[in-house]
Amino acid sequence: MRLGAVLGALRPALPLLLGLSLGCSLSLLRASWSHGAAEERCLAPGRPAPPARGAPPEAAEGGPGPGHEDFRPRIVPYYRDPNKPYKKVLRTRYIQTELGFHERLFVAVLTSKATMNTLAVAVNKTVAHHFPRLLYFTGLRSAKVPHGMVLVAHGDERPIWLMYETMNYIHQHFGSDYDWFYIMQDDTYAQAEQVKALVTHLSINQDVYLGRAEEFIGGDEQARYCHGGFGYLLSRSLLLKLHPHLDSCRNEILSVRPDEWLGRCIIDFLGITCVSQLQGQHYHTYELAKNTEPEKEEEEEFQAALAVHPVSDMTLMYRLHKQFSRIQLDRAYQEIQDLQMQIRNLTALTPAGEAGVTWPVGINAPFLPKSRFEVINWDYFTEQHLFSCPDGSPKCELSGASKADVGEIIESALEQLNRRYQPLLRFSKRQLLNGYRRFDPTRGMEYTLDLLLEAVTQKGHSHVLAKRVSLVRPLSKVEIIPMPYVTEATRVQLVLPLTVQDLDYVANFLDMFAMNTLDTHDNALLTLLFVYHPYDAQRVGQVDVFAGVKAMVGELEKRYAEVKIPWISVKTEVPSQVKLMDIVSKKHPVDTLFFLASVWTEINMEFLNRCRMNTISNWQVFFPVHFQEFNPALVYRGEQTASSSTDFLRDGHFDRHSFAEACFYNSDYMTARTKLAADILDRDEVLESMEVFDVFLHYSGLHLFRAVEPGLVQKYTLRSCNPRLSEELYHRCVLSNLEGLASRSHLAMALFEQEQANST
């Protein structure tokens, strides 16, 4: 009885006791295993023992061994010699440079006097823009370079000497920048995309000499050289090993053909022979016969070729390029169809089933707005007019790129309809009834067309019908546009035009300029432009309206002894931005970087750096869209304003109607201004209706970069709009004032409170 009572009392705690016992047992067992492993390692059956401590690593199955040290991660400990003075480490601008990454492929094309203006030009127009870097090499002296080509002239037309100098030049200038080097002749057509795909599948850690392998005449049967007519690929490691032996090869090896000379040099000094297959990759070539018709070549060997040789003339080069482009396009379309079929098959197995298939298959689904403010509007158009115009007018003529876009879409719609219904029906367009388009940033441009079509049957019967079709022009592969290199060390010259209406805001501008640029020793200067009305200019001897501003400038110059703030006085009734800029431009060097500011602008270092980076001489100008704060009387209505830096962007909007701020180089402005002067002749009144933005837009071939700039914030103020300016400038100024009052919700709340106050 007593034992049963004890067991009954312990029964609820029995699982806990068993768990604690099992846990302690496993812990002791694991500790014994760990202790044994420290003294004697356990080996799996059939596996070799690892090397002893301190012994050199041996190559294991599937693991890196000797010759593969580049794949082993190494930790380099930091050590600083206490006896040497500390030096600041200069970091590279890009992490790619610091980590020692190389570009993928460099292409060298060997040309001659007879083919430079024919075949070399054809290569440049067909495949050169597909390669990341391509140079032409010739033995001519002071050769005239065709447009768009980068030519290196060695001054000796002997073939062996040309090859020797070319290899030396490639090693000296590009040996440390690229992983692969492709050498070809100008009578070779190379499929650029195939060559680039080939090098992505090859290991960069091996000595590679890849091309069409040919036997030496009367030489060793085992030795092969790469035929120069079909191009060949050299790895960076092979080029580095070959370079010390080039002088010996030039003096000791006799050959007539440069490709044989190079092949013999590589074999004799490096013991590497040319191969046509490496690491599972094949270098396919095709030798053209005389009077070949590329359009009729249907052999698999031709379609798979990376290089085709010999190409006798420019026309044949262009025909080859057209044929191979058609082959690549057919392969791409076939691959798209295969992928779409796979997507359909897999979607049927998902929870959504076939209803989850988007149209077109493989393209992102349309954007789903979360509120009415995110709805993307459709633009209505016909074949003659567009009913959503860039200037805001309700109707404008369809022209330029928009007209070409609409015409191409209609042709594509007819082509797709005929492809689907032929031979039963054949469609032809009579009229575009309605057209709608919109840009969806998640998928591309969408179109909906109502077409009036005439359908003709196989028996010749015709019928007119209306049909609605939907099309999508998807976003293609995103490309990085190459831009010239710029730095943040460029000096910025601020230009501030001032009128009498701006006097109340000058003190705040100068305080912000002193705090954010002068105190921080930023590389920025300021020039003031005093715009006098003719009446004020006559009385400047008695009463100078800008005397207070000049006194503030004097105080700043006393506080900062090394700073000089010059000013320029101008007399005019209409302060045209272009006329004012003409005066400033003549007083500064051509390489000056201007920032055309307004008196409401709050200058800061963050924006000045972006001004330097986004403005590129002879390439790009920058027109930032500043952030305009709303009227605090309407937004807060007596409440305390938001003071945190994270709230200010909710109390205003980006003023897209203002083009007052601009960053550009003086040389670019002078070039565009010269073209403008030749266009308007002596009609200076035209300048009153223009801004600096219009000058660059219509009279320069530069990129105009206009983007929102959160670092450029302006306090609210009701600006005075000069009625003597052009109608467009005056209208933009009025719109800027109206949209800068408050948001829709704030205005609605203000009206609601006013109605309530009036009702009571």
Side-chain angles (χ1 to χ4, degrees):
M1 291 293 293
R2 186 174 300 175
L3 180 61
V6 172
L7 291 177
L10 293 177
R11 182 173 297 174
L14 187 60
L16 177 62
L17 296 175
L18 290 176
L20 291 174
S21 302
L22 182 61
C24 294
S25 301
L26 291 177
S27 299
L28 293 174
L29 186 61
R30 180 177 177 83
S32 63
W33 284 349
S34 302
H35 181 71
E39 299 176 354
E40 180 179 356
R41 302 183 181 182
C42 297
L43 302 177
R47 300 245 344 187
R53 183 173 300 177
E58 300 294 338
E61 182 181 356
H68 295 77
E69 288 80 5
D70 289 347
F71 296 100
R72 293 182 179 275
R74 296 189 299 267
I75 300 178
V76 181
Y78 174 74
Y79 173 74
R80 176 185 171 188
D81 191 350
N83 299 324
K84 293 183 179 180
Y86 173 74
K87 292 183 179 180
K88 183 179 179 181
V89 178
L90 296 177
R91 301 293 299 273
T92 57
R93 184 172 185 83
Y94 301 105
I95 190 173
Q96 179 180 6
T97 306
E98 185 166 327
L99 296 179
F101 290 170
H102 302 131
E103 298 291 339
R104 178 75 67 181
L105 180 64
F106 173 85
V107 180
V109 180
L110 305 179
T111 184
S112 62
K113 179 180 180 181
T115 59
M116 181 186 302
N117 295 307
T118 53
L119 290 176
V121 173
V123 171
N124 193 62
K125 290 184 177 180
T126 53
V127 300
H129 56 283
H130 292 282
F131 287 117
R133 187 67 183 272
L134 185 142
L135 263 66
Y136 296 86
F137 294 87
T138 181
L140 295 176
R141 295 180 182 271
S142 63
K144 185 177 180 181
V145 183
H147 178 70
M149 295 171 55
V150 181
L151 185 70
V152 178
H154 295 308
D156 195 321
E157 297 187 46
R158 290 176 294 177
I160 305 301
W161 186 267
L162 174 61
M163 177 60 70
Y164 165 77
E165 290 291 342
T166 299
M167 299 304 296
N168 263 330
Y169 187 92
I170 293 175
H171 175 271
Q172 180 180 355
H173 293 86
F174 306 103
S176 59
D177 298 331
Y178 291 85
D179 286 328
W180 300 99
F181 302 90
Y182 186 65
I183 316 297
M184 59 179 285
Q185 299 173 182
D186 57 4
D187 61 346
T188 304
Y189 178 81
Q191 287 206 66
E193 299 299 330
Q194 299 283 64
V195 174
K196 290 193 294 185
L198 173 66
V199 299
T200 58
H201 291 83
L202 296 176
S203 173
I204 63 174
N205 201 43
Q206 296 186 11
D207 299 332
V208 177
Y209 182 32
L210 182 65
R212 175 164 173 165
E214 299 283 348
E215 295 183 2
F216 290 99
I217 300 177
D220 186 4
E221 295 182 358
Q222 300 297 327
R224 297 288 190 274
Y225 73 95
C226 290
H227 194 292
F230 297 94
Y232 44 89
L233 192 66
L234 305 177
S235 64
R236 176 174 174 267
S237 59
L238 185 140
L239 180 65
L240 296 179
K241 295 177 181 178
L242 178 65
H243 180 259
H245 307 291
L246 287 177
D247 292 334
S248 301
C249 294
R250 183 191 60 181
N251 298 328
E252 299 175 7
I253 299 178
L254 299 178
S255 180
V256 178
R257 294 171 54 94
D259 49 1
E260 287 188 11
W261 174 85
L262 181 63
R264 177 59 65 187
C265 181
I266 295 175
I267 293 172
D268 291 351
F269 289 92
L270 302 182
I272 300 173
T273 185
C274 176
V275 293
S276 299
Q277 178 182 354
L278 184 67
Q279 301 174 14
Q281 303 299 316
H282 296 265
Y283 189 86
H284 298 286
T285 60
Y286 186 81
E287 186 171 357
L288 283 177
K290 291 185 178 180
N291 302 323
T292 301
E293 298 289 337
E295 296 80 8
K296 299 180 181 180
E297 291 287 346
E298 297 181 356
E299 301 179 21
E300 185 177 351
E301 183 183 359
F302 175 80
Q303 297 188 2
L306 274 74
V308 177
H309 175 80
V311 183
S312 56
D313 54 61
M314 298 175 61
T315 305
L316 182 58
M317 182 77 74
Y318 297 138
R319 293 169 61 189
L320 283 170
H321 184 64
K322 180 180 179 181
Q323 179 64 15
F324 278 110
S325 298
R326 184 181 291 114
I327 293 173
Q328 292 291 338
L329 194 60
D330 292 341
R331 290 175 182 171
Y333 283 139
Q334 185 61 43
E335 186 178 355
I336 290 173
Q337 292 179 4
D338 295 341
L339 290 174
Q340 288 179 339
M341 183 60 67
Q342 295 177 18
I343 292 174
R344 289 191 183 97
N345 296 335
L346 292 175
T347 307
L349 305 177
T350 61
E354 295 183 357
V357 179
T358 60
W359 180 88
V361 179
I363 305 298
N364 294 333
F367 171 73
L368 295 178
K370 297 180 180 179
S371 66
R372 61 189 180 91
F373 299 106
E374 297 179 357
V375 175
I376 304 176
N377 296 327
W378 289 87
D379 297 334
Y380 179 76
F381 63 88
T382 62
E383 292 185 87
Q384 294 81 24
H385 296 92
L386 183 65
F387 292 83
S388 179
C389 306
D391 58 356
S393 57
K395 180 180 178 181
C396 56
E397 185 178 356
L398 193 66
S399 61
S402 295
K403 188 175 183 64
D405 175 55
V406 171
E408 184 180 357
I409 287 298
I410 295 176
E411 291 180 4
S412 178
L414 287 175
E415 181 182 351
Q416 295 291 337
L417 287 172
N418 287 321
R419 184 182 302 172
R420 174 173 297 185
Y421 293 101
Q422 279 184 353
L424 299 178
L425 293 175
R426 181 170 53 85
F427 293 97
S428 60
K429 180 183 72 74
R430 280 201 170 187
Q431 182 184 356
L432 173 64
L433 300 177
N434 302 293
Y436 308 89
R437 68 178 181 181
R438 70 173 184 177
F439 178 73
D440 188 336
T442 62
R443 54 194 268 141
M445 187 70 79
E446 299 178 343
Y447 303 86
T448 299
L449 305 179
D450 293 332
L451 295 172
L452 186 64
L453 303 172
E454 182 179 2
V456 181
T457 64
Q458 288 179 305
K459 297 182 179 180
H461 301 293
S462 63
H463 179 69
V464 177
L465 73 160
K467 193 171 184 64
R468 168 166 286 192
V469 295
S470 298
L471 302 95
V472 175
R473 191 192 296 273
L475 293 173
S476 58
K477 181 180 178 181
V478 178
E479 298 181 3
I480 298 178
I481 301 177
M483 300 291 286
Y485 179 79
V486 292
T487 66
E488 297 179 355
T490 308
R491 173 176 292 178
V492 180
Q493 178 65 59
L494 281 75
V495 178
L496 179 64
L498 293 175
T499 61
V500 178
Q501 292 80 8
D502 304 331
L503 294 179
D504 295 336
Y505 312 100
V506 178
N508 181 68
F509 177 89
L510 293 178
D511 290 341
M512 298 299 296
F513 174 75
M515 181 176 61
N516 294 329
T517 59
L518 300 183
D519 290 343
T520 59
H521 302 284
D522 199 334
N523 194 10
L525 300 177
L526 175 63
T527 297
L528 300 179
L529 195 60
F530 297 142
V531 182
Y532 286 88
H533 190 274
Y535 175 76
D536 295 330
Q538 294 177 359
R539 303 172 57 249
V540 71
Q542 293 79 22
V543 179
D544 188 356
V545 293
F546 293 105
V549 180
K550 296 176 181 178
M552 297 178 196
V553 172
E555 292 294 330
L556 282 179
E557 292 180 346
K558 290 180 181 179
R559 193 191 314 170
Y560 306 94
E562 70 281 0
V563 175
K564 297 296 180 183
I565 302 179
W567 64 71
I568 304 173
S569 299
V570 181
K571 180 180 70 173
T572 180
E573 294 184 7
V574 183
S576 168
Q577 197 180 50
V578 178
K579 288 184 177 180
L580 298 178
M581 201 61 226
D582 288 345
I583 299 173
V584 178
S585 175
K586 296 176 182 178
K587 298 182 179 296
H588 291 84
V590 294
D591 59 346
T592 303
L593 172 57
F594 285 125
F595 168 47
L596 190 58
S598 60
V599 71
W600 306 282
T601 305
E602 296 182 357
I603 305 298
N604 59 72
M605 186 184 301
E606 178 184 359
F607 166 72
L608 291 179
N609 285 334
R610 274 199 286 270
C611 177
R612 296 181 179 103
M613 300 300 294
N614 293 330
T615 309
I616 306 172
S617 179
N618 199 30
W619 185 268
Q620 178 174 285
V621 293
F622 179 43
F623 287 85
V625 182
H626 68 258
F627 186 83
Q628 178 68 51
E629 293 186 355
F630 287 142
N631 188 347
L634 292 174
V635 174
Y636 303 107
R637 298 182 301 280
E639 300 177 3
Q640 185 178 2
T641 61
S643 59
S644 62
S645 59
T646 59
D647 293 337
F648 78 95
L649 288 182
R650 295 185 297 181
D651 303 336
H653 74 120
F654 290 100
D655 190 359
R656 58 187 178 89
H657 298 293
S658 176
F659 295 84
E661 293 85 15
C663 295
F664 53 89
Y665 278 90
N666 193 15
S667 57
D668 296 334
Y669 177 79
M670 294 173 67
T671 303
R673 187 64 179 86
T674 302
K675 295 180 181 179
L676 171 62
D679 187 26
I680 66 174
L681 299 178
D682 296 331
R683 295 178 291 122
D684 292 342
E685 64 276 3
V686 178
L687 301 179
E688 298 178 359
S689 62
M690 299 183 68
E691 291 183 320
V692 173
F693 178 82
D694 301 315
V695 176
F696 284 109
L697 178 63
H698 300 291
Y699 297 96
S700 76
L702 306 178
H703 297 271
L704 269 67
F705 182 40
R706 181 158 170 81
V708 294
E709 178 50 66
L712 201 61
V713 181
Q714 293 189 8
K715 299 293 184 181
Y716 171 77
T717 181
L718 185 63
R719 292 137 193 215
S720 60
C721 301
N722 193 339
R724 301 199 58 176
L725 295 174
S726 66
E727 182 179 356
E728 180 183 358
L729 297 180
Y730 181 78
H731 181 64
R732 286 213 308 253
C733 179
V734 173
L735 281 179
S736 178
N737 279 335
L738 293 177
E739 293 185 3
L741 286 174
S743 64
R744 291 182 178 181
S745 59
H746 291 135
L747 292 174
M749 185 61 67
L751 289 174
F752 177 72
E753 292 179 355
Q754 184 178 1
E755 289 181 358
Q756 280 193 332
N758 294 336
S759 62
T760 56

